[in-house]
Amino acid sequence: MNRKMKQLFLKKGKEESLLRFHPWVFSGAVHHTEGDIAEGDTVRVLTATGDFIAVGHYQQGSITVRVLSFSDTTIDDAFWAERLQQAFNARRAMGLTDNSLTTAYRLVHGEGDMLPGLIIDIYGQTAVMQAHSIGMHRSRHQIARQLVAVMQGRIAHVYYKSETTLPFMEPENGFIIGGSDENIALENGLRFYVDWQRGQKTGFFVDQRDNRSLLEHYAHQRRVLNMFCYTGGFSFYAMRGGAQLVHSVDSSAKAIELTRRNVELNFPGDPRHKAFCEDAFKYLDGIDGYDLIILDPPAFAKHRGALHNALKGYTRLNAKAFEKIAPGGILFTFSCSQVVTKDHFRNAVFTAAAQARRSVRILHQLHQPADHPINIYHPEGEYLKGLVVYVD
């Protein structure tokens, strides 16, 4: 037991979820704290009768403690090294750590790797680390040092990027170990630029790798529309798959520029690709003739209060695509909103198909890849869901 660690006591009966190894303590479950606890401190969580139950990072807000361990352990270099090694071992089992065709993957996926509040994506020799909790932010240098050791020469640089996830902390983006201008990574043999400085998330959406690969198999001789294209991942997979034409659309001029660069990196001078900086609904209103459409919008719901409007948005978006897609067309459609369940999303797509009066068959039900694992005790970690449907 670490008697130096500050302590938090739960209300009577509020330990039930923790006994089932759920990694969050909500504010309503807290009875009182001992000592002057600051945000980001590591605390011991005790039941109302004083029995130990967990160790985690304290933070003000609806999630008061993110559990790091259900053992009474010290959170030190050895702890970080062990957890990072476990994450690395899992990726090695997936065939990702020494793959000459894929140098981009997620090494740490928050609760899915028993490190809630921490994301680490690998892009070649650079790891991009992002904190979603103040505790992980305060531990960033310690984690980075252990990360380099665990990776055993596979990375040389650690870039820290948390200004969008912890804006109230005003953390500065930048290299905390090493430094490199090399920002080209590989995914299934295709190259892409990673804008870890100004791009969304850690610079690229590595969670769509398997789904992009699936799309490649459907793209042959099809006219492809990639909506919300961001950096164009689905677009250059479609081109390698033999698409007749590929049009990429995003409302961000920066995203369109990066898409153009990525397409040019893989298919220089190829006339099949065009990119458009335009609002999604406005663009869909004016088109016809595509027979493969990808809808991969940003999260429509960041919290449960936005769920109703989010489902209306997904229904409206998919209905428009169903109206416009050619007979015999294929739609890849996604939601990355954590609060939107698979059933919620499926019902929204069903409603959209009915509104458009199209006959629709499900070909695939999609999800996040293995390097974005879901902690079995934390079902909220299943955030990405998608459908591939055939439209008569």
Side-chain angles (χ1 to χ4, degrees), residues 211-226:
N211 300 328
R212 286 189 281 260
S213 187
L214 177 64
L215 175 116
E216 181 177 353
H217 294 289
Y218 281 103
H220 186 66
Q221 285 302 304
R222 289 187 178 271
R223 298 159 295 176
V224 177
L225 173 62
N226 183 11

Side-chain angles (χ1 to χ4, degrees), residues 10 20 44 91 125 148 166 198 200-201 222 228 237 249 253 267 355 372:
L10 300 176
R20 296 192 299 272
R44 297 175 75 238
R91 275 60 181 186
Q125 284 276 300
V148 171
L166 297 172
R198 295 173 298 276
Q200 297 179 41
K201 305 297 184 181
R222 289 187 178 271
F228 311 96
Y237 271 84
V249 179
F267 303 96
Q355 288 179 359
H372 292 61

Side-chain angles (χ1 to χ4, degrees), residues 9-315:
F9 287 79
L10 300 176
K11 295 176 182 176
K12 185 177 180 180
K14 292 298 184 179
E15 69 273 14
E16 292 301 319
S17 65
L18 294 173
L19 292 173
R20 296 192 299 272
F21 303 113
H22 192 282
W24 292 347
V25 176
F26 292 99
S27 58
V30 178
H31 185 273
H32 72 281
T33 60
E34 281 188 356
D36 184 17
I37 301 179
E39 289 201 277
D41 280 352
T42 304
V43 297
R44 297 175 75 238
V45 180
L46 308 178
T47 67
T49 55
D51 296 323
F52 170 84
I53 196 164
V55 171
H57 282 147
Y58 175 85
Q59 188 166 326
Q60 294 178 11
S62 59
I63 303 173
T64 302
V65 179
R66 290 172 167 84
V67 174
L68 296 170
S69 178
F70 290 97
S71 299
D72 201 355
T73 187
T74 302
I75 308 304
D76 54 12
D77 282 350
F79 171 84
W80 296 119
E82 180 182 15
R83 284 293 164 85
L84 291 168
Q85 186 66 55
Q86 290 170 347
F88 173 82
N89 291 346
R91 275 60 181 186
R92 182 166 54 190
M94 299 168 200
L96 290 170
T97 59
D98 298 288
N99 187 332
S100 62
L101 294 179
T102 296
T103 62
Y105 59 92
R106 177 152 294 181
L107 180 72
V108 172
H109 185 61
E111 287 82 357
D113 287 295
M114 298 175 290
L115 288 167
L118 180 65
I119 297 295
I120 301 176
D121 286 339
I122 305 298
Y123 299 110
Q125 284 276 300
T126 299
V128 181
M129 186 164 70
Q130 191 169 69
H132 290 250
S133 72
I134 297 173
M136 288 299 183
H137 170 70
R138 285 173 51 180
S139 303
R140 62 195 183 279
H141 293 286
Q142 194 175 16
I143 294 169
R145 289 192 299 270
Q146 297 308 315
L147 173 63
V148 171
V150 164
M151 293 295 284
Q152 296 183 333
R154 290 174 178 84
I155 64 165
H157 320 284
V158 180
Y159 187 87
Y160 184 68
K161 182 186 181 185
S162 297
E163 65 180 11
T164 57
T165 54
L166 297 172
F168 49 89
M169 293 289 296
E170 298 184 355
E172 292 185 5
N173 288 358
F175 285 98
I176 55 178
I177 291 180
S180 174
D181 294 328
E182 175 57 48
N183 65 339
I184 296 178
L186 283 169
E187 185 181 272
N188 293 320
L190 289 165
R191 296 184 295 166
F192 57 89
Y193 293 101
V194 185
D195 187 359
W196 48 63
Q197 293 183 339
R198 295 173 298 276
Q200 297 179 41
K201 305 297 184 181
T202 63
F204 193 74
F205 290 121
V206 291
D207 58 359
Q208 288 285 22
R209 179 181 59 252
D210 293 350
N211 300 328
R212 286 189 281 260
S213 187
L214 177 64
L215 175 116
E216 181 177 353
H217 294 289
Y218 281 103
H220 186 66
Q221 285 302 304
R222 289 187 178 271
R223 298 159 295 176
V224 177
L225 173 62
N226 183 11
M227 300 298 302
F228 311 96
C229 66
Y230 183 41
T231 57
F234 281 105
S235 298
F236 46 80
Y237 271 84
M239 295 180 73
R240 189 169 70 175
Q244 186 182 135
L245 62 84
V246 179
H247 290 169
S248 304
V249 179
D250 201 287
S251 60
S252 165
K254 194 179 298 181
I256 289 297
E257 177 57 30
L258 202 49
T259 292
R260 288 180 173 137
R261 289 180 66 198
N262 279 332
V263 170
E264 187 66 17
L265 189 63
N266 292 282
F267 303 96
D270 196 319
R272 291 178 297 159
H273 182 259
K274 292 183 180 179
F276 304 91
C277 183
E278 196 166 337
D279 173 77
F281 287 100
K282 183 178 178 181
Y283 188 87
L284 286 170
D285 276 336
I287 60 102
D288 278 304
Y290 294 105
D291 42 28
L292 198 164
I293 296 177
I294 304 109
L295 300 178
D296 186 21
F300 281 2
K302 298 288 189 181
H303 52 82
R304 292 196 178 278
L307 178 60
H308 177 70
N309 285 337
L311 294 176
K312 287 173 63 176
Y314 286 123
T315 300

Side-chain angles (χ1 to χ4, degrees), residues 310-329:
L311 294 176
K312 287 173 63 176
Y314 286 123
T315 300
R316 180 182 168 217
L317 178 63
N318 282 276
K320 183 62 67 175
F322 283 134
E323 290 170 10
K324 296 293 187 175
I325 198 166

